[in-house]
Amino acid sequence: MAVSDKAIGTSVTDKYDIGEAMCPYRLVLEHVTSRWGVLVLIELLERPYRFSELRRAIGRVSEKMLTQTLQTLERDGFVHRDAKPVIPPRVDYSLTDLGREAAEQVKALAIWTSERMADVDKSRRAYDEARALKARA
Amino acid sequence: MAVSDKAIGTSVTDKYDIGEAMCPYRLVLEHVTSRWGVLVLIELLERPYRFSELRRAIGRVSEKMLTQTLQTLERDGFVHRDAKPVIPPRVDYSLTDLGREAAEQVKALAIWTSERMADVDKSRRAYDEARALKARA
DNA sequence: CGGGATCCGTAAAGATACTG
DNA sequence: CAGTATCTTTACGGATCCCG
């Protein structure tokens, strides 16, 4: 184990019956929408990256989490890992066709979200203010 | 606190500079793509739900997590909460316009993912098999 | 019925040191 | 350089009890 988490075990359920039990596709969805998964996919949408290069580009990600994220995405077939047997080691990461499709959707969601931040902030302030009033009861 | 997690603190960064530091929109993205957030949004895309009704529809979600998820989504302005002051209490949840936009994107991603599960499974088997070979070294 | 508050176990996240 | 191994810390998520 190590890479696969507790991902195995579930398997069937044909159609996408949103909700109800833990359907396997939900795990994949969590992989691509995970904290670092999102950033990795979006970054790789630009061009291939080497490990450390990707680490710097994302910033604030530990080696462990980046490794783990990349392995998960590679296993799911979203990321291609190209390790050259040279010294010092050189490993390039890039998106597969499948990964590119995923990355584009994720990026669209990310962009939509950042565009709507003003609305969200406004809503939050209203919410917090309403709460503050109630607190003075 | 209670609802906002550690959500506050960050605030600026104008453009969506993917990566680099913890930009605030990333938190929103995590809210809508969270384990229960995804399911709540997709369920509510169909019609409004009452609390317990939603709980049954999703299945396998604790009251605590559903409450927490709904509050977060309400605060962000994705979900509208309509509490009628009757006994027994009745609370209806529905999507706001903003929430509907988010839900549609999330659902699209969910559907795409479930449609690609065959590719993902195939990739996983290949990956695991390759690993199994190396393990016998 | 729809939560709020609290406690608790587990499992991820993070930092660090080590290796081919 | 690109990881792996190990340890510590954090927070997620569930169970329980209570209240309007």
Side-chain angles (χ1 to χ4, degrees), chain A:
Chain A
M1 49 199 122
V3 172
S4 59
D5 302 339
K6 76 284 185 179
I8 50 318
T10 46
S11 60
V12 268
T13 47
D14 255 334
K15 301 180 54 129
Y16 38 89
D17 57 329
I18 263 67
E20 271 315 308
M22 185 49 125
C23 20
Y25 87 87
R26 287 241 54 232
L27 286 169
V28 177
L29 190 57
E30 283 177 24
H31 292 169
V32 310
T33 62
S34 70
R35 170 143 31 173
W36 305 120
V38 170
L39 299 181
V40 166
L41 289 175
I42 292 176
E43 229 30 86
L44 289 181
L45 205 48
E46 298 300 314
R47 63 176 177 87
Y49 274 86
R50 295 183 59 179
F51 186 85
S52 298
E53 201 181 16
L54 190 54
R55 183 152 146 57
R56 279 190 302 274
I58 291 178
R60 281 187 176 64
V61 58
S62 65
E63 293 180 9
K64 179 190 168 186
M65 291 319 300
L66 184 56
T67 300
Q68 199 172 297
T69 301
L70 285 168
Q71 285 178 347
T72 301
L73 293 177
E74 187 196 357
R75 193 174 101 102
D76 287 348
F78 296 131
V79 163
H80 173 68
R81 180 175 182 274
D82 183 22
K84 271 109 176 174
V86 296
I87 294 176
R90 179 192 175 95
V91 182
D92 288 277
Y93 290 94
S94 56
L95 291 179
T96 61
D97 290 344
L98 193 63
R100 185 163 296 276
E101 286 186 53
E104 273 159 5
Q105 297 213 41
V106 168
K107 183 170 184 178
L109 220 179
I111 289 178
W112 178 87
T113 303
S114 67
E115 285 173 347
R116 298 301 185 172
M117 274 308 290
D119 302 74
V120 170
D121 275 332
K122 188 178 161 195
S123 172
R124 283 179 175 173
R125 279 194 297 275
Y127 183 94
D128 292 343
E129 204 171 316
R131 285 236 142 188
L133 288 177
K134 285 199 153 183
R136 276 196 280 282

Side-chain angles (χ1 to χ4, degrees), chain B residues 6-128:
Chain B
K6 75 281 184 185
I8 51 318
T10 46
S11 61
V12 270
T13 45
D14 255 334
K15 299 182 53 128
Y16 37 89
D17 58 328
I18 264 68
E20 270 316 307
M22 183 51 121
C23 22
Y25 87 87
R26 286 243 52 235
L27 286 170
V28 177
L29 190 57
E30 284 177 22
H31 292 169
V32 310
T33 61
S34 70
R35 168 140 43 172
W36 305 120
V38 171
L39 299 182
V40 166
L41 290 175
I42 292 177
E43 267 329 308
L44 289 181
L45 205 48
E46 300 299 315
R47 63 175 177 86
Y49 274 85
R50 295 184 59 182
F51 186 86
S52 298
E53 201 182 18
L54 190 54
R55 184 152 146 51
R56 279 191 301 274
I58 292 177
R60 280 189 176 62
V61 59
S62 67
E63 293 181 9
K64 179 189 171 185
M65 292 320 299
L66 184 56
T67 299
Q68 200 171 299
T69 302
L70 285 168
Q71 285 177 345
T72 301
L73 293 177
E74 187 196 356
R75 193 173 102 100
D76 287 348
F78 297 131
V79 162
H80 173 68
R81 180 176 183 274
D82 182 22
K84 271 109 178 175
V86 297
I87 293 176
R90 177 189 177 96
V91 183
D92 288 277
Y93 290 95
S94 56
L95 291 179
T96 61
D97 289 346
L98 193 64
R100 184 162 298 275
E101 287 185 53
E104 272 157 6
Q105 297 212 42
V106 168
K107 183 170 184 178
L109 220 179
I111 290 177
W112 178 86
T113 303
S114 66
E115 285 173 347
R116 299 300 187 175
M117 273 308 291
D119 302 74
V120 170
D121 275 334
K122 188 177 162 196
S123 173
R124 284 178 174 173
R125 278 194 296 276
Y127 183 93
D128 293 343

